[in-house]
């Protein structure tokens, strides 16, 4: 039971005031924030971290998606220029006999979109998932180098 009463409704924080490992700080304005389902959805989106690296041959995206299977993740190309990575992390089933002390892992749907440059081969995009890391490789189209012709200067 929390030592700080909630004046604005139910107090569902389930944290113990005397827990030395708790980093929870009482926020008197928390009750005025947006709905909990929205904040849960936002936290799932924020937790889908993606690195975008460009090499001479391709654009490489790496997304940390721990605990997800490849069947729970979608990689799509929209409008011939937008890479979309999406999926859903499901909530763990609760047993009525369990006592939860802390819930920090986010759940819900996530979506990340990246507008790709024009010099990519959209028909050759590859994706692989290993150890909770999704790697998407978007090969670059060969850019034709302009022919340079030397012109002799007279005079």
């Amino acid at each position: 039971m929390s030592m700080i009463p909630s004046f604005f409704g139910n107090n569902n924080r389930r944290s113990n005031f005397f827990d030395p490992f708790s980093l929870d700080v009482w926020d008197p304005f928390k009750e005025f924030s947006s709905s909990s389902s929205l904040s849960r959805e936002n936290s799932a989106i924020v937790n889908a971290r993606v690195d975008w690296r460009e090499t001479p041959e391709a654009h490489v995206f790496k997304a940390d998606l721990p605990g997800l299977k490849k069947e729970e993740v979608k990689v799509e190309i929209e409008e011939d220029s937008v890479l979309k990575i999406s999926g859903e992390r499901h909530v763990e089933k609760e047993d009525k006999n369990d006592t939860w002390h802390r819930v920090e892992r986010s759940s819900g749907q996530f979506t990340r979109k990246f507008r790709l440059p024009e010099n990519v081969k959209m028909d050759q995009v590859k994706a692989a998932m290993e150890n909770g890391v999704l790697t998407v490789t978007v090969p670059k189209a060969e850019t034709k180098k302009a022919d340079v012709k030397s012109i002799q200067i007279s005079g």
Side-chain angles (χ1 to χ4, degrees):
M1 181 169 136
S2 176
M3 296 298 292
I4 301 172
S6 174
F7 297 105
F8 303 105
N10 292 335
N11 190 352
N12 293 326
R13 289 184 290 144
R14 294 187 188 186
S15 65
N16 186 347
F17 181 76
F18 298 105
D19 181 3
F21 301 107
S22 177
L23 297 176
D24 291 347
V25 177
W26 180 61
D27 181 3
F29 300 104
K30 183 175 183 178
E31 300 295 330
F32 296 117
S33 65
S34 61
S35 71
S36 63
S37 64
L38 180 60
S39 63
R40 248 185 268 124
E41 182 178 319
N42 286 343
S43 66
I45 291 169
V46 169
N47 287 331
R49 306 277 187 201
V50 180
D51 293 339
W52 178 357
R53 176 175 51 112
E54 182 176 355
T55 68
E57 298 82 27
H59 293 271
V60 180
F61 297 83
K62 289 197 175 205
D64 287 339
L65 303 173
L68 290 181
K69 300 173 189 158
K70 66 180 183 177
E71 295 82 14
E72 298 172 318
V73 178
K74 279 187 188 178
V75 177
E76 302 170 303
I77 301 291
E78 295 180 340
E79 303 171 11
D80 289 331
S81 65
V82 176
L83 173 67
K84 178 181 174 183
I85 300 170
S86 62
E88 184 171 3
R89 184 174 286 127
H90 298 285
V91 178
E92 215 172 291
K93 292 181 182 177
E94 292 187 28
D95 186 352
K96 292 181 181 181
N97 298 325
D98 291 345
T99 301
W100 290 84
H101 294 281
R102 182 174 298 278
V103 177
E104 293 182 344
R105 297 183 304 148
S106 61
S107 61
Q109 295 180 347
F110 64 90
T111 301
R112 296 296 308 270
K113 292 183 180 185
F114 303 92
R115 182 160 307 280
L116 298 169
E118 294 179 10
N119 67 335
V120 295
K121 298 177 183 178
M122 294 294 186
D123 58 337
Q124 296 181 15
V125 175
K126 293 186 175 149
M129 190 139 167
E130 186 176 341
N131 296 328
V133 178
L134 173 70
T135 303
V136 180
T137 305
V138 183
K140 288 182 176 181
E142 293 179 23
T143 54
K144 190 173 185 180
K145 295 182 181 179
D147 292 330
V148 177
K149 183 178 179 183
S150 284
I151 299 174
Q152 196 164 4
I153 301 173
S154 62

